[in-house]
Amino acid sequence: MTSLALIGPGAVGGTVAAWLAQNPALSVTICARTPFEGLEIETPGGLISASPVVLTDPAQARPVDWVLIATKTYDTASAEAWLDALVGPETRLMVLRNGVEHVAPFLARLPAARIVPAVVDIPAERRAPGRILQRRDGSILTPDDAAGRDAAALFAHTPIAVSTTPDFTTAAWTKLALNCAGAVNALILKPSGVAHDEGVAEVMRTLVAECVAVGRAEGADLGDDLADAVVAGNRAAAPDGINSLHADRLAGRPMELDARNGVIVRRGAAHGIPTPANAMVVALIRAAAA
Ligand SMILES: NC(=O)C1=CN([C@@H]2O[C@H](COP(=O)(O)OP(=O)(O)OC[C@H]3O[C@@H](n4cnc5c(N)ncnc54)[C@H](OP(=O)(O)O)[C@@H]3O)[C@@H](O)[C@H]2O)C=CC1
Ligand SMILES: CC(C)(CO)C(=O)C(=O)O
């Protein structure tokens, strides 16, 4: 039996853990900050539930075959105690997060060959601890290497479209283009449907254009149509859909502004590429949430 431990059973982590727990060949343990009893996920195919072991104390944890971390990027340090307990000499780590900096935070602990960055496109909203709305089956992309292929295989029994890519850089920057535009929703506190407003759509396009320029400088193969595709994706999404940055702001939690917009500013500066729109939304959201 393959042993898995998921750190961060929120919208993405709870959804992923519940689906993985549907396979009796996988032993899934939840490593939580807030305790809860069982997982119930409203999926496009109906309700699924799972009753994995839920730990709240790292002292209860033991090394596993796979650790999956799905905390927000701002909760990396707080998860260290779990990693101390869960990572053994053969353990591999799958990083289920947005952004383009999945691997760097963990290189002091594991070699890159045992870290699997994952681009997650599963719109999910946490209603309460263990209670999640999964709006689409969604997809996960991992690198086309040994660990990436093994990570993808864990999901073979699920409706989530999990596959590998030979160009993870492009995959991650393509997702970042979607996520950087999501700052608009967090700024004006309006769900996905606001993208039908042409003025809002134009702001999104401007954010994405900066992301494309910086992503290309970072080696991503990004098309000229990506900004329009991001707007179209927002317009096709559930109009009441709340992205995870918007959800954090609504909940009064910290936000992944640096991972989703600040990184464009930082990497842009390194390449001499101006990114005023992304810098502006970071400043405005931080001030609005203060
Ligand atoms: N939600 C979405 O639609 C999507 C999100 N993503 C990305 O996936 C990642 C996860 O996002 P999302 O699932 O929305 O985040 P959530 O805020 O819903 O979930 C994060 C979870 O991590 C838990 N957590 C935080 N710190 C610790 C810790 N030290 N130990 C154990 N658990 C901890 C939180 O606990 P607590 O309950 O106590 O807060 C929470 O359950 C982010 O990078 C996000 O950008 C990607 C695609 C879609
Ligand atoms: C926009 C969305 C839902 C796409 O998966 C996302 O990445 C997020 O909410 O962080």
Side-chain angles (χ1 to χ4, degrees):
M1 180 173 278
T2 302
S3 57
L4 291 75
L6 184 120
I7 308 170
V12 166
T15 299
V16 162
W19 279 114
L20 291 170
Q22 304 303 306
N23 181 354
L26 303 178
S27 167
V28 179
T29 299
I30 298 288
C31 302
R33 179 169 61 189
T34 302
F36 60 90
E37 292 285 330
L39 288 165
E40 285 189 6
I41 318 295
E42 292 176 55
T43 82
L47 187 71
I48 66 165
S49 59
S51 302
V53 170
V54 179
L55 304 179
T56 55
D57 179 356
Q60 302 168 308
R62 295 292 177 272
V64 291
D65 297 317
W66 283 94
V67 176
L68 291 83
I69 187 164
T71 67
K72 293 283 183 35
T73 54
Y74 53 73
D75 273 322
T76 298
S78 71
E80 290 293 343
W82 287 113
L83 294 169
D84 290 342
L86 293 166
V87 176
E90 302 297 322
T91 301
R92 289 179 286 183
L93 172 66
M94 186 177 191
V95 185
L96 294 150
R97 282 176 169 172
N98 275 321
V100 292
E101 297 169 316
H102 296 74
V103 173
F106 306 102
L107 283 174
R109 183 180 293 276
L110 295 98
R114 288 170 43 205
I115 302 173
V116 180
V119 171
V120 182
D121 187 3
I122 303 173
E125 294 163 37
R126 183 169 39 139
R127 300 291 198 233
R131 301 292 179 269
I132 294 147
L133 170 63
Q134 178 190 1
R135 288 189 178 267
R136 280 193 285 112
D137 290 337
S139 64
I140 296 174
L141 278 172
T142 60
D144 189 14
D145 57 25
R149 288 190 290 272
D150 288 349
L154 296 171
F155 294 83
H157 64 288
T158 79
I160 303 168
V162 185
S163 58
T164 63
T165 173
D167 185 355
F168 188 82
T169 297
T170 293
W173 279 92
T174 299
K175 182 67 187 326
L176 188 67
L178 172 61
N179 290 134
C180 76
V184 173
N185 307 93
L187 179 62
I188 63 177
L189 297 175
K190 298 280 188 183
S192 298
V194 75
H196 289 282
D197 176 300
E198 187 49 33
V200 168
E202 199 51 28
V203 173
M204 289 181 165
R205 294 188 190 100
T206 303
L207 290 165
V208 174
E210 292 178 357
C211 180
V212 168
V214 178
R216 286 170 172 167
E218 292 277 309
D221 179 14
L222 303 175
D224 292 338
D225 63 345
L226 187 51
D228 285 335
V230 165
V231 168
N234 273 275
R235 289 175 170 173
D240 61 339
I242 302 283
N243 72 51
S244 60
L245 185 75
H246 184 180
D248 275 349
R249 179 146 183 236
L250 288 173
R253 293 189 292 257
M255 289 176 278
E256 293 179 309
L257 278 169
D258 183 62
R260 299 164 67 122
N261 299 89
V263 63
I264 295 167
V265 179
R266 286 189 275 116
R267 300 288 183 90
H271 295 284
I273 299 171
T275 56
N278 279 275
M280 181 170 62
V281 292
V282 169
L284 291 178
I285 294 173
R286 281 186 176 146

